Amino acid sequence: MSTAPNHRAVAVILLIPLMVTLALWAFAWPAARIAPRDLPVGVAGPASATQQLEQRFEQRDGAFDVHRFDDEAAARTAIEERVVYGAVVATPRGPHLLTASAASPVVSQLLREAVTASVPEDTQVRVTDVVAAPPGDPRGSALGASVLPLALAGMAAGAVVTLMGLRGARAAVTLVGSAALVGLAATAVAHSWLGVVTGDWWTEAGVVALTVLAIGSAVAGLAALFGPRGIGLGALLMVLLGNPFSGVTSAPELLPEPVGVIGQWLPPGAGGSLLRSVAFFDGSAAGGAVLTLSLWALTGLAAVMFARRVPATAEPAAPVREPALTG
């Protein structure tokens, strides 16, 4: 009796708990450890008035990265350009908190609680949302939930191209075409129907398409280099790590180190950050995300077009015919 089926059964029994443990670690651990880590914030006003505000931020060692601004106008500009998430302006009537819920509703609430807790109880903190989240998604939950479908769409495109045996230019055209259609369809839902994003329609469609292309090309490229096992490696990078490490539901600076940084190097995190920039901030601070997505897309397409595909199984050698014996 062959022991191969028994070995496979044992492998499955051990593999499933391992995958569940890895998934719980990737998804639950960052969510359970959310806290500010070098979170960019600002203080604005005369140095004599902002010194105390700055000291209160710096009391939490490593939590905030404090930027100084001369006045409220400079602080507002920094928020609109995504230099800081918010700023506290020192005024004769007390602190005036500037936030940007479009950048992160979680950070906006965190800053509101931190500033309110640092002033006397009878002091009223005035709050202004400089770049507000859209009415269709005031808590940012819909935008955060969009990362996983985009990752799955890219995964599906890369896997289908691989399993159908498409190669070279035909595979590249298929990946580009499917990503473009996903960009149009997703933007029609998120922008035109739900109102989750409110920027330029075609720019948002391009960002979604580039994100899906980067994911799909990476998966197909890994499969071209390592065979069908590359699809599993792509799923590990793009879905199991890329989705929870993206920081779209909170902010990269709220995730444990170095999870936030790693997430921005992967297409789901870079795509989510880029979509937020073009949807609410007129493309500010978009350069790094565009570069990241472009590198993933171009590298994956190059592998699909030029790499020698690894066969799934070794083909049996053809039997050697013996020469016929003559009498």
Side-chain angles (χ1 to χ4, degrees):
M1 180 176 178
S2 175
T3 60
N6 294 333
H7 291 165
R8 294 194 188 101
V10 172
V12 171
I13 292 173
L14 295 177
L15 182 61
I16 291 178
L18 178 62
M19 292 300 296
V20 171
T21 302
L22 181 60
L24 285 175
W25 168 80
F27 281 83
W29 173 57
R33 296 292 184 268
I34 286 181
R37 297 170 176 86
D38 290 327
L39 184 72
V41 297
V43 293
S48 58
T50 59
Q51 185 176 7
Q52 187 176 6
L53 294 172
E54 186 175 348
Q55 290 175 350
R56 287 172 180 169
F57 278 121
E58 293 177 346
Q59 283 176 355
R60 299 179 61 177
D61 188 28
F64 297 99
D65 178 19
V66 182
H67 297 243
R68 303 173 187 85
F69 303 104
D70 294 333
D71 51 28
E72 180 177 335
R76 284 176 175 268
T77 300
I79 292 173
E80 293 168 351
E81 294 178 352
R82 302 199 72 185
V83 176
V84 294
Y85 282 91
V88 184
V89 182
T91 69
R93 295 180 295 173
H96 178 197
L97 175 62
L98 306 177
T99 64
S101 59
S104 172
V106 176
V107 172
S108 296
Q109 183 62 28
L110 183 151
L111 292 177
R112 187 188 301 250
E113 294 173 355
V115 174
T116 302
S118 64
V119 299
E121 294 183 1
D122 58 345
T123 302
Q124 183 69 27
V125 178
R126 188 159 58 101
V127 181
T128 300
D129 201 346
V130 177
V131 186
D137 188 25
R139 296 179 179 84
S141 55
L143 181 63
S146 66
V147 174
L148 181 58
L150 295 183
L152 293 177
M155 274 293 309
V160 168
V161 164
T162 301
L163 297 177
M164 290 182 64
L166 300 179
R167 301 185 183 185
R170 183 177 298 177
V173 170
T174 302
L175 289 169
V176 173
S178 62
L181 290 179
V182 171
L184 296 175
T187 307
V189 173
H191 183 116
S192 303
W193 178 33
L194 298 177
V196 172
V197 289
T198 57
D200 179 75
W201 200 96
W202 289 104
T203 304
E204 292 167 352
V207 169
V208 174
L210 180 59
T211 303
V212 174
L213 178 61
I215 297 172
S217 300
V219 173
L222 289 171
L225 293 172
F226 304 109
R229 72 191 69 176
I231 299 177
L233 181 57
L236 174 66
L237 287 174
M238 303 302 165
V239 178
L240 198 59
L241 297 181
N243 183 54
F245 287 10
S246 66
V248 177
T249 57
S250 55
E253 294 85 357
L254 298 183
L255 300 180
E257 296 179 346
V259 167
V261 176
I262 294 174
Q264 296 306 300
W265 292 344
L266 296 174
S273 178
L274 180 57
L275 183 58
R276 197 184 294 276
S277 290
V278 301
F280 309 123
F281 296 90
D282 295 328
S284 296
V290 171
L291 178 61
T292 299
L293 293 173
S294 300
L295 288 176
W296 277 99
L298 292 175
T299 303
L301 290 175
V304 168
M305 295 185 66
F306 303 113
R308 184 176 181 180
R309 190 177 300 275
V310 178
T313 56
E315 296 181 359
V320 179
R321 292 181 177 274
E322 295 289 340
L325 296 178
T326 56

